[in-house]
Amino acid sequence: MAHEKQNPTRRDVVKMAGAASATGIAGLTGTAGAQDDYPPLGNYPIQGNTATLGFNVPQSGPYSSEGKDELRAYELAVKHLNNGGGWVDDWSDLSGNGVLDKQLDYVTGDTATDADQARKSAQRMVSRDKAIMVTGGSSSAVAIAVQELCQREKVLFMACLTHSNDTTGKSCARYGFREMFNAYMTGQALAPVVSEEYGKNKNFYQLYADYTWGQTQQASMNKFFKEQGWSQVASVATPLGTKDYSSYLSKAANSNADVLFLNHYGLDGANSLTQARNMGIDQDMEIVMPLYNRPMAQAAGGAIENIYGTVAWDSQIDNEPSNSFTEAFGDEYDGRTPSGPAQLAYSQTLQYAAAVERAGTFYPPEVIRQLEGHQYGNLGMDQELMRKCDHQAQRAVPVVKGLPKSEQEAGTFFELVQMTPKAKVGYECNSGPAGQCSLGSYE
């Protein structure tokens, strides 16, 4: 059942204004029907009683496990927004009866972890299906391609899983928002923990996925570990979707480096880590996997033991929003434990819906203004800020360490080492990735 609001939202004011217009109550006239006064833009105004969302995820390719978990969470978010449940019952700006009196529907697409395919899929959602908002990701190349399209089409893009610095850096867009932290923030969170564990003045070798995420990921590792007194021996690109990493790993093993960074993700990450362990590289080198998630850890199994990294979110984070989402997801999907990508998908959908309600309209510029500078603490990641200058969430970063196979059970694969607070992983609007951001126009 939908919750009872404690404070009036913009939606309540609009409804009150409508009543006031009919009854002549002074001071409220002129607000009713305000969304009809905005000019057509993108897929606004919405025709009919249903608003369509576009869920563009990798249902095939090396990040397909992540995409399938995202899709589960997207579908759950729509169910809750239409019928109540989960976080919708706790957020004062959501009703559990649709959004602005419109029921939500959705269409899905398969990005195939490919930017061109993702762009075509998103274009269909915008042009054919009249999606009012598009969301998805897993590959940052995909997210950036779709974000650029949405900026051009004037349709909001609520990025799900994208970790490249460029998404809210040089490729930022007024119509794009990112809840996920970036590679720069991972470097800030991970370097102090790992250097304390393995010592100062270490030599490290990097393998990285050869696209925007891997490129900015390895650059961030280099920057922040050098600040800890470490030295990079080499940084080597590997193609996305590589299945056999043995030649790359052999060169790393012969480099005399102390530590190997595997900047790979999804099935690629599970493969490179498992192969490194099978080759015995961990006998002579420490291994670090800067970005993890639950499906990736499950695929790697015991190979993740004692391997440090960061995650978007984990069900072990013990607070009311995290526990509520874990319970709701498990109830919907036969006890399944949600992953970090699932939490991102669910939260980004609700963030958009709540911004629409606060704006009192689906008109994109007004929704954008509700998101810009929004402060919130209802996602289980402590207090957050959706920054206006680059649309990057300022938030905590969980640092984790992989558990032995014998301790992996019920969806638990990591030891939660620390929640690095946002104050230790931030940067100013004129520095870091944000220094390269130019958002573009509202209209």
Side-chain angles (χ1 to χ4, degrees):
M1 181 178 293
H3 65 284
E4 183 175 331
K5 294 187 179 73
Q6 300 300 311
N7 298 303
T9 67
R10 171 74 180 267
R11 180 184 183 187
D12 297 322
V13 173
V14 170
K15 286 184 173 181
M16 291 168 60
S21 179
T23 59
I25 297 176
L28 290 177
T29 58
T31 309
Q35 64 175 325
D36 296 332
D37 296 334
Y38 295 113
L41 184 69
N43 282 328
Y44 176 90
I46 297 171
Q47 302 299 319
N49 297 319
T50 300
T52 300
L53 308 180
F55 300 148
N56 206 22
V57 302
Q59 299 181 59
S60 60
Y63 296 169
S64 60
S65 293
E66 288 75 16
K68 291 171 183 176
D69 220 30
E70 289 170 17
L71 192 54
R72 293 183 187 101
Y74 283 134
E75 292 172 345
L76 182 62
V78 169
K79 179 178 180 179
H80 287 167
L81 287 167
N82 283 335
N83 304 301
W87 289 351
V88 172
D89 291 348
D90 300 320
W91 288 24
S92 63
D93 39 16
L94 293 174
S95 69
N97 186 30
V99 177
L100 292 185
D101 298 322
K102 292 186 184 294
Q103 286 288 289
L104 296 182
D105 197 0
Y106 63 90
V107 293
T108 67
D110 180 10
T111 70
T113 322
D114 178 82
D116 289 337
Q117 175 66 23
R119 191 182 293 107
K120 292 175 183 176
S121 178
Q123 187 67 67
R124 285 195 298 271
M125 293 175 175
V126 171
S127 301
R128 181 191 66 189
D129 302 311
K130 304 302 179 185
I132 195 67
M133 183 272 278
V134 174
T135 179
S138 279
S139 158
S140 288
V142 161
I144 290 170
V146 174
Q147 181 170 264
E148 290 173 349
L149 182 146
C150 286
Q151 175 69 34
R152 184 173 67 250
E153 297 287 348
K154 298 298 183 278
V155 171
L156 261 78
F157 177 62
M158 302 296 288
C160 184
L161 181 59
T162 169
H163 191 239
S164 169
N165 293 336
D166 294 346
T167 308
T168 48
K170 68 180 184 181
S171 299
C172 71
R174 181 72 64 185
Y175 276 68
F177 290 86
R178 174 164 62 177
E179 166 65 22
M180 176 68 179
F181 56 86
N182 58 27
Y184 199 88
M185 297 161 81
T186 281
Q188 291 174 309
L190 201 55
V193 175
V194 172
S195 62
E196 182 178 352
E197 177 72 14
Y198 298 140
K200 301 288 185 180
N201 304 315
K202 297 296 183 181
N203 295 324
F204 63 97
Y205 190 105
Q206 298 201 74
L207 298 179
Y208 66 93
D210 192 14
Y211 72 103
T212 180
W213 168 64
Q215 292 157 6
T216 65
Q217 175 67 54
Q218 63 87 25
S220 297
M221 294 299 100
N222 190 29
K223 172 179 172 58
F224 291 107
F225 277 88
K226 279 188 173 180
E227 291 181 3
Q228 297 293 325
W230 288 32
S231 299
Q232 180 171 275
V233 174
S235 186
V236 178
T238 62
L240 181 66
T242 296
K243 293 181 171 54
D244 183 359
Y245 288 91
S246 58
S247 62
Y248 298 105
L249 292 168
S250 294
K251 291 179 181 178
N254 293 326
S255 69
N256 294 319
D258 304 302
V259 182
L260 171 63
F261 289 116
L262 295 175
N263 299 295
H264 300 132
Y265 196 68
L267 184 59
D268 287 3
N271 285 339
S272 68
L273 178 57
T274 301
Q275 289 168 28
R277 289 280 205 182
N278 289 342
M279 292 172 64
I281 288 177
D282 57 310
Q283 300 302 309
D284 299 311
M285 305 174 72
E286 302 293 349
I287 301 175
V288 176
M289 182 146 277
L291 186 65
Y292 264 134
N293 66 49
R294 189 190 62 77
M296 176 178 167
Q298 186 172 13
I304 70 170
E305 182 176 355
N306 293 326
I307 303 296
Y308 281 94
T310 62
V311 293
W313 171 89
D314 191 80
S315 61
Q316 294 180 79
I317 297 173
D318 187 13
N319 54 45
E320 196 283 326
S322 290
N323 296 338
S324 173
F325 174 62
T326 300
E327 180 180 2
F329 193 91
D331 288 346
E332 184 71 13
Y333 296 112
D334 299 321
R336 186 182 186 91
T337 302
S339 64
Q343 190 265 0
L344 289 170
Y346 185 82
S347 64
Q348 285 292 75
T349 308
L350 266 62
Q351 286 276 49
Y352 170 76
V356 171
E357 291 280 11
R358 293 195 301 271
T361 176
F362 283 94
Y363 184 61
E366 293 303 318
V367 179
I368 290 170
R369 291 184 175 99
Q370 287 296 323
L371 290 165
E372 290 178 333
H374 181 55
Q375 298 185 58
Y376 49 101
N378 50 9
L379 306 188
M381 301 302 297
D382 299 329
Q383 290 299 309
E384 301 187 53
L385 167 68
M386 181 56 70
R387 195 157 60 176
K388 182 177 181 178
C389 68
D390 60 353
H391 294 184
Q392 172 63 58
Q394 303 298 290
R395 49 160 289 181
V397 175
V399 176
V400 299
K401 183 169 67 171
L403 291 172
K405 182 68 173 177
S406 60
E407 298 179 24
Q408 297 176 14
E409 57 183 24
T412 301
F413 296 91
F414 310 109
E415 172 192 342
L416 184 60
V417 176
Q418 71 174 34
M419 287 281 286
T420 307
K422 68 179 181 182
K424 293 187 177 181
V425 293
Y427 48 94
E428 299 298 324
C429 287
N430 61 356
S431 66
Q436 303 179 65
C437 173
S438 178
L439 287 170
S441 67
Y442 287 92
E443 297 174 341

